[in-house]
Amino acid sequence: MIEVFKTNVQEVEQSAMIVGKLLEHFPTSTINFDLEDCDKILRVHAAFISNHKIIELLNSYGFHCEVLL
């Protein structure tokens, strides 16, 4: 399963921190950002993905995150 999110993450350092935090919750997943994209894409590839948990985690660090349809 792959889920794609639109974020407002701007910096590589921010994205690295978020990927680390997400991997704590989803350790077997592949997570990456495309900060070159205008939507600052977050991609999560995993057997199970909790959109709510991912959005909640980014929000807790002050970032906007929504599922990209």
Side-chain angles (χ1 to χ4, degrees):
M1 166 181 262
I2 298 175
E3 201 63 71
V4 180
F5 300 88
K6 176 181 178 177
T7 75
N8 66 343
V9 175
Q10 301 292 324
E11 304 294 328
V12 173
E13 296 80 13
Q14 295 169 331
S15 67
M17 180 272 297
I18 291 167
V19 168
K21 295 297 182 184
L22 287 171
L23 285 171
E24 291 176 13
H25 295 275
F26 306 100
T28 60
S29 59
T30 302
I31 303 170
N32 60 59
F33 275 90
D34 181 357
L35 299 180
E36 299 297 318
D37 188 277
C38 65
D39 289 326
K40 309 301 182 193
I41 297 296
L42 166 63
R43 282 187 198 85
V44 181
H45 180 227
F48 172 76
I49 299 171
S50 169
N51 291 349
H52 176 74
K53 184 68 177 171
I54 291 168
I55 292 168
E56 187 178 81
L57 184 80
L58 266 79
N59 289 344
S60 75
Y61 287 100
F63 296 104
H64 173 77
C65 180
E66 64 184 75
V67 175
L68 189 63
L69 302 175

